[in-house]
Amino acid sequence: MRSGVTEGNGKVVPFLVATMKGISQVVLIENWVTGLFILAAITITSFQLGLIAFLSVAIGTLVGRVGGGDPVSVSQGLYGYNPMLTGMAVHLFLEGPASWGIALFGALITAAFTASVLTLLEPTGMPTLTFPYIVTTWLIMLSSYRLESLKLTDGLVPQDLSHWKLKIEGNIDWLSAFIDGAGQIFFLQGIIAGLLIFIGIFFAGLKFGMYALVGNFVAMVTAYILGAEHSLIDAGLYGYNAILTALAVGVVFRGGESWMAPLTATIGSILTVLLIASVDTILLPYGLPALTMPFALSTSIFIGARKIMQYT
């Protein structure tokens, strides 16, 4: 009996650790404690969203394991983070009784899509980033225009670009906006959620935390100087992509001890502001959110350039 329990724990515990790492991989960190901090931040904000997040990342991890994915990649959480984001996004942006099922189905499809993108990009040495999540989520949301059972929430309204006007009025609470920059990575707003996520990032290492802070700060200031909508800055929507870009370019994929890493991370954070504005504009007629596409594009530019340029 005791050996059976031991055997069961030997399978369950590594799976749970890999699942928590899948959560932390959203911020490009492989650390199960960081994952716990993030899951706590999500669950405190919304129990339902926390449950969707956990189930989605577990589905992705399970697909990687049962489907015969690379064991190292599975244990690192690389099959879990894209499905987690898809599940959360679909649950938040679609309404109706079918949203739960569609969210979990989206997580399942994203896991398979992640495997295909990993295979496709392996010869190039380029990382998967969040492309599977972005593409799958956009496709599911676009299908709502043709399927009666799927309906976008009222906050996502297609707009005619020719009649759209920039509105920069309104005050900015800089402290809450700064903290919300971390929360918006997971569609969250609130001091407690943002602080828990920052704590989780710092737990993984001081360098991770510092790059997250700097990327967030640079993007917020850049957005303000360039005249971005104050409401979006205040909600942290110009910071979250920059945090991910700074972590990716400055720490995770910097290619050794490059002295240019802080500069490229800063430039990448600035670039995300321009990309957020442009991607939002492109998607305006479809009522879709930018998600993490600005981060994925900005990071890919620098990682790709480093393949042939030594000092990037």
Side-chain angles (χ1 to χ4, degrees):
M1 185 73 173
R2 181 175 299 175
S3 61
V5 173
T6 303
E7 182 181 354
N9 288 340
K11 295 178 180 179
V12 173
V13 173
F15 177 78
L16 290 176
V17 171
T19 299
M20 289 301 105
K21 287 183 178 180
I23 297 174
S24 70
Q25 285 286 2
V26 174
V27 289
L28 301 111
I29 291 171
E30 182 190 343
N31 188 299
W32 67 270
V33 177
T34 299
L36 280 177
F37 273 109
I38 294 171
L39 183 60
I42 300 170
T43 307
I44 287 173
T45 304
S46 167
F47 179 79
Q48 281 195 359
L49 191 61
L51 182 58
I52 279 285
F54 179 78
L55 291 176
S56 297
V57 70
I59 287 172
T61 305
L62 185 63
V63 168
R65 173 175 286 191
V66 175
D70 174 46
V72 174
S73 297
V74 174
S75 66
Q76 290 175 337
L78 295 179
Y79 280 88
Y81 71 96
N82 273 293
M84 171 187 167
L85 290 172
T86 298
M88 293 178 69
V90 171
H91 177 66
L92 286 171
F93 296 132
L94 289 183
E95 59 183 22
S99 64
W100 270 78
I102 297 169
L104 297 179
F105 177 75
L108 178 66
I109 297 302
T110 304
F113 193 8
T114 298
S116 66
V117 174
L118 281 168
T119 302
L120 181 66
L121 294 180
E122 186 176 10
T124 69
M126 294 289 289
T128 304
L129 302 177
T130 53
F131 284 113
Y133 144 63
I134 296 166
V135 174
T136 305
T137 301
W138 280 350
L139 290 177
I140 291 175
M141 294 172 70
L142 284 171
S143 68
S144 66
Y145 291 104
R146 296 283 183 169
L147 300 174
E148 188 176 359
S149 298
L150 280 66
K151 182 180 179 182
L152 293 177
T153 58
D154 293 337
L156 299 175
V157 180
Q159 299 183 54
D160 185 352
L161 187 57
S162 62
H163 294 92
W164 185 83
K165 293 183 179 180
L166 179 67
K167 299 178 181 179
I168 62 172
E169 298 81 5
N171 298 321
I172 300 173
D173 184 336
W174 289 100
L175 179 58
S176 72
F178 186 83
I179 295 174
D180 283 343
Q184 287 289 1
I185 299 172
F186 302 93
F187 313 102
L188 308 177
Q189 277 188 277
I191 298 294
I192 295 177
L195 286 177
L196 283 173
I197 293 170
F198 270 126
I199 291 171
I201 294 174
F202 269 100
F203 184 88
L206 179 61
K207 185 176 293 185
F208 285 102
M210 294 306 298
Y211 269 91
L213 293 179
V214 171
N216 194 19
F217 176 78
V218 168
M220 287 177 59
V221 172
T222 302
Y224 182 77
I225 292 175
L226 294 179
E229 293 166 281
H230 289 182
S231 61
L232 299 185
I233 299 175
D234 189 62
L237 292 173
Y238 272 100
Y240 74 97
N241 274 284
I243 291 174
L244 296 176
T245 300
L247 288 171
V249 176
V251 185
V252 181
F253 303 114
R254 66 178 183 173
E257 299 297 326
S258 172
W259 59 272
M260 287 288 288
L263 179 59
T264 52
T266 300
I267 296 173
S269 298
I270 294 172
L271 179 59
T272 61
V273 174
L274 301 175
L275 289 172
I276 289 170
S278 61
V279 173
D280 274 342
T281 302
I282 292 171
L283 297 176
L284 203 63
Y286 307 101
L288 299 181
L291 304 177
T292 54
M293 180 58 87
F295 146 69
L297 291 175
S298 179
T299 299
S300 295
I301 288 172
F302 283 96
I303 296 177
R306 283 175 177 167
K307 298 296 180 182
I308 58 173
M309 298 171 67
Q310 181 178 359
Y311 297 114
T312 56

